[in-house]
């Protein structure tokens, strides 16, 4: 199964890329304009664009102004090309000194020795301190086989967004949410609306994401103590069956048409179905808080953690984030590490709090969270507090840290989709996932990969 996401033939691919890189050197972007020509250059690649790029540029400027040894030169690389450009640059011995990523690359790149284990850049006592300070979920995102390869500079966690106006319209109290997922589902059904033809024009709640709901039901896809996949469990099956039941209740075909209409109507961030009125509740990330404030500051909404089902886990779900890596072939590892510590808040978390508030980002550690400036930001954006509070939870999990991470993530999504459109039963969808993963792992073994 020659799937790009399985990362098979990485080094053969790098060899081919090297030939291309030598033949076509312009593929890899060069450094930007120098402002401090006598300093050591730290080339920094990232994938932010638009307003986010301006925030990142500002952080780089502050770093350059804070010391006299290094000049960080940022470069925005298109997200759909970032991974390939990184591999081209590594193969051509022309890599960035550090890179901000949010794709599922850490296990693959770490296994291939393409990135530096960042914990080796810390003294033992410093690393011990950071493990206690960094939130558990942020550590899980960056860890692989006992080493930290990616330092998270912006967490993503997911919570419930809900509209008090629709709750009151249905005779429900927005100040007292149900304590269970079953209760929340019953409330959602009271807020569904259809038109004269029976088509959905509003849904109370259309849940999505096995990666979010498997932990809520007490499951997950990885045994973090044993370091092994954990796919077919009663808890995971309960989650998949519940997600399927929610779609079946609304009508499989009706949900497909409803989602297609929302996708067609969406022309920008302001067309989020929750904001336009097509959803009474939605599951989404913390970045929506700043988006709503910018686009519709008077919009009335609230946030809360998703309540667990009976026997499930509280404050559980999926997490991911933006993280920094340093290539093993970087020309200035020390400069890259100095910049990462500056941005992340490993040093001077009070100063770093301004970076996180300017981007509307969740911090990776408690020192930044507790900084007065960051606490002020929470008070000014009370809906944001839900997500900040979730950071302490031990029940937030990224996609399992395996070298075939992207392949696994894609197959989990396909399992959920096939069950939730009614094409197969939840049991059949899970069996297909198990078969695909068995085949993938067998082929990886035949090709000599060690997982």
């Amino acid at each position: 199964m020659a799937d790009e996401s399985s990362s098979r033939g990485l080094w053969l691919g790098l060899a081919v890329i090297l030939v291309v890189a030598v033949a076509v050197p312009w593929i890899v972007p060069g450094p930007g304009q120098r402002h401090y020509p006598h300093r050591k250059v730290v080339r920094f690649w990232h994938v932010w664009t638009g307003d986010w790029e301006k925030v990142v540029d500002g952080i780089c400027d502050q770093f350059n102004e804070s010391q006299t040894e290094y000049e960080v030169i940022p470069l925005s690389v298109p997200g759909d090309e970032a991974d390939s450009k990184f591999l081209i640059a590594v193969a051509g011995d022309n890599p960035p000194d550090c890179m901000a990523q949010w794709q599922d690359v850490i296990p693959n790149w770490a296994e291939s020795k393409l990135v530096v284990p960042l914990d080796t850049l810390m003294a033992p006592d410093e690393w011990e301190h950071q493990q206690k300070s960094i939130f558990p979920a942020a550590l899980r995102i960056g860890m692989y086989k006992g080493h930290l390869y990616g330092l998270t500079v912006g967490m993503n966690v997911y919570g419930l967004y809900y509209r008090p106006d629709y709750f009151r319209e249905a005779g429900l109290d927005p100040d007292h949410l149900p304590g269970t997922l079953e209760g929340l589902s019953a409330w959602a059904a009271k807020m569904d609306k259809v038109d004269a033809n029976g088509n959905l024009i509003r849904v109370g709640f259309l849940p999505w994401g096995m990666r979010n709901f498997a932990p809520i039901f007490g499951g997950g896809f990885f045994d973090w103590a044993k370091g092994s996949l954990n796919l077919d469990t009663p808890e995971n099956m309960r989650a998949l069956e519940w997600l399927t039941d929610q779609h079946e209740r609304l009508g499989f075909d009706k949900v497909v048409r409803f989602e297609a209409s929302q996708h067609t109507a969406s022309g920008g961030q302001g067309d989020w179905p929750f904001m336009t009125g097509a959803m009474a509740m939605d599951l989404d990330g913390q970045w929506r808080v700043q988006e709503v404030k910018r686009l519709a500051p008077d919009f009335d909404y609230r946030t809360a953690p998703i309540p667990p089902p009976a026997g499930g886990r509280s404050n559980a779900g999926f997490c991911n984030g933006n993280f920094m890596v340093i290539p093993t072939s970087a020309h200035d590892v020390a400069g890259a590490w100095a910049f990462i510590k500056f941005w992340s808040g490993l040093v001077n978390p009070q100063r770093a709090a301004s970076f996180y508030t300017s981007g509307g980002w969740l911090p990776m550690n408690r020192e930044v969270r507790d900084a007065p400036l960051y606490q002020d930001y929470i008070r000014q954006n009370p809906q944001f507090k839900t997500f900040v509070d979730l950071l302490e939870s031990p029940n937030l999990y990224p996609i399992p840290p395996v070298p075939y991470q992207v392949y696994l993530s894609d197959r989990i999504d396909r399992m959920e989709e096939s069950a939730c459109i009614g094409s197969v039963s939840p049991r059949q969808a899970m069996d297909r996932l198990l078969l695909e993963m068995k085949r993938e792992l067998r082929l990886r073994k035949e090709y000599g990969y060690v997982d």
Side-chain angles (χ1 to χ4, degrees), residues 338-353:
F339 175 57
I340 291 174
K341 290 195 293 183
F342 175 89
W343 181 335
S344 65
L346 287 186
V347 296
N348 199 337
Q350 307 291 326
R351 175 181 58 197

Side-chain angles (χ1 to χ4, degrees), residues 94-304:
N94 189 30
D97 295 294
C98 59
M99 183 176 187
Q101 260 280 4
W102 54 54
Q103 303 297 334
D104 299 324
V105 297
I106 286 179
N108 187 10
W109 288 1
E111 192 70 43
S112 303
K113 296 181 171 38
L114 296 180
V115 287
V116 174
L118 303 179
D119 54 294
T120 63
L121 302 179
M122 306 183 205
D125 58 340
E126 181 186 5
W127 174 227
E128 182 179 356
H129 167 74
Q130 294 303 335
Q131 290 179 84
K132 296 176 182 177
S133 173
I134 297 174
F135 293 115
L139 272 178
R140 288 190 182 119
I141 290 171
M143 296 292 291
Y144 181 67
K145 292 186 176 179
H147 288 287
L148 180 72
Y149 288 93
L151 193 65
T152 306
V153 293
M155 288 289 297
N156 292 327
V157 299
Y158 298 80
L160 182 72
Y161 286 77
Y162 63 99
R163 297 182 55 137
D165 55 343
Y166 287 169
F167 278 50
R168 297 188 188 100
E169 177 187 299
L172 306 171
D173 185 356
D175 297 321
H176 298 88
L177 291 184
T180 66
L181 190 58
E182 292 86 354
L184 191 72
S185 301
W187 280 29
K190 296 180 179 180
M191 293 181 280
D192 298 333
K193 277 193 173 183
V194 296
D195 63 15
N197 297 317
N199 294 313
L200 288 166
I201 56 175
R202 185 176 82 192
V203 297
F205 186 35
L206 186 60
W208 59 273
M210 268 294 288
R211 283 171 284 183
N212 262 302
F213 283 95
I216 292 173
F217 276 81
F221 300 107
F222 195 69
D223 187 321
W224 292 82
K226 296 180 180 178
S228 59
L229 287 182
N230 212 22
L231 302 177
D232 187 9
T233 67
E235 296 82 6
N236 289 350
M237 280 304 304
R238 280 185 63 205
L240 183 58
E241 288 165 355
W242 181 81
L243 285 167
T244 304
D245 287 346
Q246 303 311 300
H247 286 69
E248 186 175 18
R249 177 185 67 78
L250 293 165
F252 291 128
D253 292 342
K254 290 180 180 179
V255 169
V256 170
R257 289 196 296 271
F258 174 79
E259 291 184 320
S261 69
Q262 299 306 312
H263 178 73
T264 301
S266 180
Q269 293 176 325
D271 291 319
W272 178 25
F274 175 74
M275 285 183 65
T276 61
M279 293 181 174
M281 295 183 280
D282 197 13
L283 175 69
D284 219 315
Q286 78 290 333
W287 58 85
R288 293 289 193 181
V289 173
Q290 190 172 60
E291 177 183 312
V292 173
K293 184 176 182 178
R294 178 171 57 86
L295 297 174
D298 296 326
F299 179 60
D300 184 22
Y301 74 101
R302 300 181 191 175
T303 62

Side-chain angles (χ1 to χ4, degrees), residues 319-431:
C319 66
N320 59 0
N322 313 312
F323 52 85
M324 302 278 253
V325 297
I326 299 178
T328 50
S329 54
H331 298 160
D332 201 322
V333 171
W337 182 233
F339 175 57
I340 291 174
K341 290 195 293 183
F342 175 89
W343 181 335
S344 65
L346 287 186
V347 296
N348 199 337
Q350 307 291 326
R351 175 181 58 197
S354 68
F355 310 152
Y356 288 92
T357 56
S358 64
W361 296 320
L362 291 170
M364 65 154 195
N365 63 19
R366 295 173 179 87
E367 283 89 346
V368 173
R369 178 202 60 189
D370 295 339
L373 182 63
Y374 200 84
Q375 288 297 309
D376 285 344
Y377 181 82
I378 297 172
R379 282 188 286 272
Q380 294 165 17
N381 300 273
Q383 299 92 343
F384 202 72
K385 188 176 186 299
T386 292
F387 304 95
V388 177
D389 290 347
L390 280 170
L391 294 175
E392 287 284 6
S393 174
N395 299 324
L396 299 177
Y397 299 96
I399 199 70
V402 292
Y404 45 91
Q405 202 175 48
V406 175
Y407 180 87
L408 173 63
S409 180
D410 177 69
R411 291 316 186 265
I412 290 172
D413 289 346
R414 291 190 185 187
M415 174 186 70
E416 178 184 353
E417 180 183 10
S418 63
C420 287
I421 63 173
S423 63
V424 297
S425 71
R427 182 67 260 172
Q428 290 171 324
M430 176 64 78
D431 287 342

Side-chain angles (χ1 to χ4, degrees), residues 24 40 86:
V24 194
K40 299 175 184 176
F86 176 83

